[in-house]
Amino acid sequence: MFDMARRTTSPPPEDFEERIVDIDVSAEMRTSFLEYAYSVIYQRALPDARDGLKPVQRRILYSMNEMGLRPDRGHVKSSRVVGDVMGKLHPHGDSAIYDALVRMAQPFSMRLPLVDGHGNFGSPDDLPAAMRYTEARLSAAAMLMVQSIDEETVDFKPNYDGQETEPTVLPSAFPNLLVNGSTGIAVGMATNMAPHNLGEVIAAARHLIRKPDATLEDLMRFVPGPDLPTGGSVIGLAGIRDAYETGRGTFRMRAKATVDNVTPRRKGLIVTELPYNVGPERVITKIKELVNAKKLSGIADLKDLTDRHKGLRLVIEIKNGFIPEAVLEELYRLTPMEETFGINNVALVDGQPRTLGLRELLRVYVDHRIDVVRRRSQHRRRKREERLHLVDGLIVALLNIDEVIQVIRSSDDSAAARGRLMEIFELTEIQANYILDTPLRRLTRYDKLELDKEKETLTREIAELTAILSSEDKLNKVVSDELAEVAKTYGTPRRTVLLESSGVSKTAAVPLEVADDPCLVLLSSTGLLARTGDADPLPGDGERTVHDVLVSVVRSTVRGEIGVVTSHGRMIRVSVVDLPALPPSANPPSLAGGHPVAEYVALNPDEVVVGLGSLDPASPGLALGTAQGVVKRVVPEYPGNRDEFEVIGLRDGDTVVGAVELIAEEHDLVFITSDAQMLRYPASQVRPQGRPAGGMAGIRLEPGARVIWFGSVDPARESRVITIAGSSTALPGTQVGGGKIADYAEFPPKGRATGGVRAQRFLKGEDTLLLAWAGPAPAKAVSAVGKPVPLPSDLGRRDGSGVRLTHTVAAIGGALSGPGTDEAPEEPPLF
């Protein structure tokens, strides 16, 4: 009111000219609405078809990368990330930024989460905690999105106030739009894209690179349908086919439920997977409403046993007299246990919203990735050429060091010195400046050798980059190989089962019938089971393999059976065809595609798997070693009508520590004990026994000692003995210990049931062996999560002490040879 009075009482200045413009309200509304619609479509709601990100998601990932919030760094408060993004790049409110950050951290929302969240990031039923309570950093997959962003791979533009710059698109080393999907509501249009399996999408993209004219049917052999983060089933594939062709279609999602006995007298439904974006609370609430309204009968009780360890588990108890399958069909019909997903593949292509099919989505991404790799190669070549130019100048200075020093000393100033250097030695201004800025300590003969080596390396790298840039085929191969490496590292098995309308299962490019071909069954140190072809390379043969080592390998056929041997002396029968098959590859495949052994055998709380055995009566038999020093060779006469049986009669308190399938009686049986004693002797010294037998004395143990490793070694091969010593009072897995590698040939063979020879001398603070292994060289050690751990490079004395390791070792394996011929079998060693 005070300002109004001043304006009415004070006369306007003499040069004031009142300007009132008459406009049409309908025209103003139309213009403002179009500007608003344009802003929502391009700046908020729709993802870019190249990196699959909306602007707010792209700005979050870029800002977190600039802040250094990488997977190897600590988490920071989410509010700090939100504040940085809002202040520099996205001035549209903190709630929108935090909502986008939360979704990228939810494993039930994204197939490959891009944010590693710490704290309560919500559930399908509940909202996340406030940003001041949660913490975040980039996930390993998110680093692929920003990889090489500092190598001029993408264009940058000014931010909203022109003080910062931001990328117009991220390099995106994997097809994020198809893998993680997207959802958004714009003005007059919307997008709703389903997540897919990373390995399948990359396989389709690589096929499109090899065959640019590939049809939709060709691509759907690799991508048969969505792969939802929450698993479940997809019923009816006609809508998926329409969506992949036109960009629009629908499909039905169905929960995964099995019929089982929930009480001694009642059956029930066990729900372990729900449709995408459906939470258990929503299903429970709907079931209760239907039961109370008398619209659903046959349900006696409903329990939610979901927890962090077992995952989703809804137990629906069925009343006696009702058919569980019929009740399940009613639940599918009346509750969110079956939902419809409408695909609407709308994304921005060259700044314009378009509805895209599967082939168009892959084509846009592949073109983007080819452009990124081309620009990256151009940047790297230019940087190497610039460095080579400086190295050439520095080499000239080194070859004429006395004359260069004389020229510099006799010059009045740096400008004169630069000019004389350029004139006398025919250098460029950049080279002359670099020579003047180089410290004298670098102008030595040793640095001359380093510069020559660097010049050779730079010349070779420039030639390689030039070859890539001058050949479309080589450029495409680089893109394809990088995609293959991403799939190998981050690919996971399919979670969602695809079913035709009739209920027939459909998979990606898998034959309907499985041939009974020879194969190898593999067990890894992290408890993963898988099978691979008889001629395929084994995991662990290559330096590029980063997964865990093999614990046991046994020969079988695809339709055959093998036995899983446990520490309680049980052998459990497992069908080989049920095991996941590792795809053949030019590089050794990774056992990351295997399934946990717990999915195939039921173990007691204190029972572990120690090895695999063949059930073939013609096999040489199984050799077992126990913690109390007992050895046994089992006659391969296993009962064919039982799924599990004992293979050794154990004494009270004794457990099996190793089980190996023998290859030849000339091979050694090896014991390594906790007090660092090792004993080896030929397997021929152990008489085979029947299954109920308790074995015979294998090694004489000192009081308090126990066997920590038992296995078989071919004495004709170059082999190693690895021991890691530590303290018996430390908590398991908390100490790295002192490791030693010795030549197996240094350990003399002795007789059965005798004492061993010392394998490692304990240092101060060491009183026991934490881990031991013997087998063919070279050896490989891994951590508890399957990552490689470096071992000592030099061989130590047989009874010498160890050197401190850099990381804790969880398992050790050795060199793996391929399967041999009948005349000269070269089986992989069984650990």
Side-chain angles (χ1 to χ4, degrees), residues 18 28 36 41 56 99 139 178 278 390 454 515 549 615 699 710 749 769:
E18 184 174 327
E28 176 64 21
Y36 166 74
I41 291 172
V56 63
D99 288 345
S139 68
L178 277 167
V278 175
L390 296 177
E454 182 180 2
V549 298
L615 298 179
I699 183 174
F710 171 81
L769 285 188

Side-chain angles (χ1 to χ4, degrees), residues 135-211:
E135 298 177 342
R137 65 183 178 187
L138 292 176
S139 68
M143 298 307 299
L144 299 174
M145 298 294 296
V146 297
Q147 195 177 64
S148 304
I149 196 172
D150 56 348
E151 295 184 283
E152 300 179 2
T153 53
V154 295
D155 295 329
F156 279 73
K157 64 179 181 180
N159 70 331
Y160 66 93
D161 61 0
Q163 297 185 13
E164 304 280 347
T165 59
E166 61 175 308
T168 59
V169 67
L170 295 185
S172 185
F174 69 94
N176 176 62
L177 185 57
L178 277 167
V179 172
N180 282 322
S182 183
T183 180
I185 301 176
V187 178
M189 61 183 64
T191 184
N192 196 32
M193 306 181 68
H196 290 76
N197 185 273
L198 175 68
E200 295 176 0
V201 173
I202 287 182
R206 297 183 66 201
H207 182 75
L208 190 63
I209 293 174
R210 292 192 302 268
K211 297 182 179 180

Side-chain angles (χ1 to χ4, degrees), residues 548-562:
D548 50 353
V549 298
L550 298 181
V551 173
S552 187
V553 182
V554 66
R555 187 186 301 276
S556 181
T557 62
V558 174
R559 294 185 183 177
E561 293 178 325
I562 55 99

Side-chain angles (χ1 to χ4, degrees), residues 77-79 98 102 120-121 127-135:
K77 286 292 184 182
S78 300
S79 55
Y98 186 55
V102 165
N120 178 16
F121 276 80
L127 295 175
M131 69 180 77
R132 62 182 178 273
Y133 298 120
T134 62
E135 298 177 342

Side-chain angles (χ1 to χ4, degrees), residues 397-539:
L398 284 172
L399 294 176
N400 303 275
I401 183 63
D402 296 333
E403 293 85 348
V404 169
I405 294 176
Q406 180 63 31
V407 168
I408 296 175
R409 291 187 60 186
S410 60
S411 300
D412 296 333
D413 51 28
S414 60
R418 179 173 56 250
R420 294 181 63 191
L421 287 174
M422 294 170 58
E423 179 182 356
I424 296 173
F425 299 103
E426 298 182 354
L427 300 175
T428 64
E429 184 177 355
I430 297 176
Q431 292 174 321
N433 285 330
Y434 187 69
I435 292 172
L436 291 173
D437 294 336
T438 301
L440 286 175
R441 65 175 180 270
R442 289 202 56 196
L443 305 180
T444 64
R445 183 176 62 179
Y446 178 73
D447 277 332
K448 171 63 168 56
L449 298 176
E450 284 189 340
L451 288 173
D452 289 337
K453 185 177 179 180
E454 182 180 2
K455 180 178 180 179
E456 180 181 351
T457 301
L458 290 171
T459 304
R460 184 183 69 254
E461 292 176 350
I462 291 172
E464 293 173 354
L465 293 169
T466 301
I468 293 173
L469 291 171
S470 60
S471 172
E472 288 294 329
D473 292 339
K474 291 185 179 180
L475 180 63
N476 291 342
K477 185 178 185 303
V478 172
V479 174
S480 180
D481 291 345
E482 290 182 355
L483 287 173
E485 190 65 26
V486 171
K488 178 181 177 181
T489 305
Y490 297 95
T492 56
R494 166 173 281 276
R495 301 176 186 173
T496 302
V497 178
L498 303 178
L499 302 174
E500 301 283 2
S501 299
S502 60
V504 179
S505 177
K506 181 180 177 63
T507 56
V510 174
L512 296 179
E513 295 185 0
V514 179
D516 194 22
D517 295 327
C519 68
L520 297 175
V521 180
L522 318 174
L523 173 66
S524 77
S525 63
T526 54
L528 299 180
L529 269 177
R531 59 181 168 88
T532 184
D534 196 37
D536 292 340
L538 290 176

Side-chain angles (χ1 to χ4, degrees), residues 698-781:
I699 183 174
R700 186 176 68 245
L701 296 176
E702 297 296 328
R706 59 184 176 83
V707 176
I708 64 170
W709 187 87
F710 171 81
S712 175
V713 176
D714 182 359
R717 295 185 61 181
E718 180 184 1
S719 300
R720 298 287 184 263
V721 177
I722 302 177
T723 51
I724 300 177
S727 172
S728 59
T729 59
L731 293 176
T734 60
Q735 56 179 332
V736 295
K740 181 181 74 70
I741 301 180
D743 191 352
Y744 181 79
E746 290 191 9
F747 293 82
K750 300 180 66 177
R752 181 182 62 83
T754 61
V757 296
R758 185 162 58 186
Q760 181 167 344
R761 186 184 301 272
F762 292 145
L763 298 175
K764 183 178 181 180
E766 299 176 347
D767 60 358
T768 186
L769 285 188
L770 305 176
L771 203 65
W773 175 86
K780 175 183 177 183

